[in-house]
Amino acid sequence: MTKDELKKAAGWAALKYIKSDTIIGVGTGSTTDHFIEALATIKNKIYGVVSSSEVSTAKLKNLGIFIFDLNDVNSLDIYVDGTDEININLQMIKGGGAALTREKVLASAASKFICIADQSKKVEILGNYPLPVEVIPMAYNFVARKLVQLTHGLPKYRKGVVTDNGNIILDIHNLKIIDAIALEKIINNIPGVVTVGLFARRPADIALISSEEGITILS
Ligand code: 5RP
């Protein structure tokens, strides 16, 4: 199977977790794009979705799926999204698509977070994938210096990227994340940081991991 076929298998596997008459949180990325296509086949069964990015919103609208504003919604039954890395505790590095802030809001708002990923995303220790941090533009040099001091990693400015919230991304390279909850807290506390793409305090509840052998369910 190709990488894209594996992503498709994970995306479609999430469909059976969708309940009738609910509102679904939808993530961002190439694996989630497959989930969006799957969701379109049952769009009349659900009330609609809350989207985590302008890119996903455009795809969802194109397929005729109703979009809610999070401010108009009392509860999100499920949030479905991909990941850049996931460990055995279902803690993740996310934000490769620069949508980490809205993704984190939706993950926190949802009763259940289902992560969809091909097996290449499964790691023993988080940190090989550069850790994205969304930062307000006026603070990025200050935040970068703080990140070096506090994480001993190497922050790099993601060129040409402005987030849906008008901010920039610093990607921290050379990390080996042993205590993900502690690191998430430390980075969150730097003034100027909007969101760190470490999803440890609110990990996934279920991970659907695709491989040549089929889908493995981790929880
Ligand atoms: C976007 C994300 C994505 O979920 C992550 O980058 C995985 O993307 P893909 O499914 O394309 O591999 O966090 O901000």
Side-chain angles (χ1 to χ4, degrees), residues 11 13-14 23 37 57 60 65 72 83 98 134 140 142 185 192 203:
I23 299 173
E37 273 159 32
T57 298
L60 288 155
I65 299 173
D72 297 328
T83 190
E134 180 166 351
Y140 78 81
F142 163 74
K185 218 174 189 173

Side-chain angles (χ1 to χ4, degrees), residues 7 28-32 81-84 94-100 103 121:
K7 288 182 180 204
T28 299
S30 54
T31 315
T32 302
D81 198 359
T83 190
D84 296 304
K94 290 184 43 54
L100 60 161
E103 291 175 345
K121 306 293 182 69

Side-chain angles (χ1 to χ4, degrees), residues 13-30:
L15 210 52
K16 74 165 188 228
Y17 293 86
I18 306 302
K19 294 189 208 127
S20 296
D21 305 329
T22 55
I23 299 173
I24 313 299
V26 175
T28 299
S30 54

